[in-house]
Amino acid sequence: VHALSYPLGGKYHIAHGVSNAILLAPVMRFNEPACRSLLAKAYDRCLRGDARREEEKSAAVIQRLEGIVKHLDIPTSLTEFGVPKEDLEALVASGMEVTRLLVNNMRTVTPDDARSIYQQVL
Ligand SMILES: [Fe+2]
């Protein structure tokens, strides 16, 4: 989230917390296979709904976080900040340069992965 957020602050002056919130759900869905059991544990501790299978639980946690972002009226798209779709490749290149953060991610992030995540919020 933070790595892919940086190019958005630098070039488009989107507040870091806002761009983090915009990217939160897509990045969590990307990371979900690598942290499913942790998210399922969070579900058991915080949501305690009807979900039984781990993937249902982790999906519910991500959905809840996405709901909080929407509830707070934080935009869910970069187009509201005037980020043109034509800037996608530049965003991917800039995001992939934030290696000090990317190396700590639970899943390896390739340029294709970053592109797919940005495409979800453009
Ligand atoms: Fe950050």
Side-chain angles (χ1 to χ4, degrees):
V1 167
H2 291 258
L4 299 185
S5 257
Y6 275 109
L8 300 167
K11 192 166 179 196
Y12 309 99
H13 310 292
I14 303 172
H16 191 57
V18 171
S19 53
N20 284 343
I22 291 171
L23 287 161
L24 184 62
V27 170
M28 286 194 76
R29 288 203 177 90
F30 170 75
N31 281 331
E32 191 273 341
C35 56
R36 182 170 294 161
S37 59
L38 289 171
L39 289 170
K41 210 179 276 185
Y43 177 92
D44 289 336
R45 290 182 181 168
C46 305
L47 298 182
R48 296 190 206 106
D50 297 329
R52 292 283 172 263
R53 290 170 34 237
E54 266 200 339
E55 54 198 287
E56 292 170 345
K57 292 179 179 182
S58 64
V61 169
I62 295 169
Q63 216 167 30
R64 178 63 64 92
L65 288 169
E66 193 172 33
I68 291 170
V69 170
K70 282 181 185 154
H71 176 76
L72 294 173
D73 282 336
I74 297 171
T76 53
S77 165
L78 296 175
T79 52
E80 295 186 39
F81 295 94
V83 181
K85 291 190 191 318
E86 302 78 59
D87 285 11
L88 176 62
E89 289 311 311
L91 281 172
V92 171
S94 299
M96 292 306 295
E97 284 175 14
V98 191
T99 51
R100 72 184 169 84
L101 297 178
L102 290 173
V103 293
N104 294 320
N105 197 56
M106 295 177 129
R107 249 185 101 179
T108 301
V109 183
T110 67
D112 282 344
D113 298 327
R115 185 176 300 108
S116 161
I117 290 166
Y118 279 131
Q119 279 171 331
Q120 292 172 56
V121 295
L122 271 173

